[in-house]
């Protein structure tokens, strides 16, 4: 029943994005009870995901990137 720390990290990542199965979540919970290092990783991973969601990150569209590139090329 005990999974490796590598497998636990993988399941932790999947759980953050709602991709882990119920059985995987059970195995992860059991592992986290026994492994404090992975428990800390899981807690930190949850915080990071929360901060990224709160940041409302945005990226430039392809058109905006193209215009920026052209602007920099003309400035040379």
């Amino acid at each position: 029943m005990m999974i490796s720390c590598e497998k636990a990290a993988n399941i932790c990542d999947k759980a953050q994005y709602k991709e882990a199965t119920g059985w995987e979540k059970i195995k992860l919970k059991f592992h986290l009870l026994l492994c404090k290092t992975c428990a800390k990783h899981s807690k930190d991973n949850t915080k990071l995901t929360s901060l990224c969601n709160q940041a409302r990150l945005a990226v430039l569209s392809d058109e905006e990137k193209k215009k920026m590139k052209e602007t920099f090329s003309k400035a040379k």
Side-chain angles (χ1 to χ4, degrees):
M1 174 80 170
M2 186 65 172
I3 58 175
S4 68
C5 291
E6 184 178 342
K7 182 71 174 169
N10 182 271
I11 295 170
C12 179
D13 292 341
K14 286 172 63 175
Q16 289 297 114
Y17 298 103
K18 311 280 191 264
E19 297 173 353
T21 66
W23 183 242
E24 287 176 322
K25 291 177 190 177
I26 290 169
K27 291 191 288 188
L28 176 62
K29 293 275 187 198
F30 182 71
H31 184 89
L32 297 180
L33 286 172
L34 301 174
C35 182
K36 297 306 170 201
T37 302
C38 288
K40 182 176 180 346
H41 170 77
S42 179
K43 184 178 178 182
D44 292 344
N45 200 26
T46 301
K47 284 182 188 176
L48 180 60
T49 299
S50 176
L51 288 172
C52 287
N53 290 338
Q54 290 174 19
R56 296 184 190 116
L57 301 174
V59 295
L60 295 175
S61 69
D62 288 339
E63 185 62 32
E64 291 170 321
K65 289 177 190 177
K66 184 179 175 183
K67 286 180 185 177
M68 185 180 282
K69 217 179 231 186
E70 290 170 358
T71 302
F72 286 127
S73 294
K74 289 177 185 177
K76 288 182 179 179

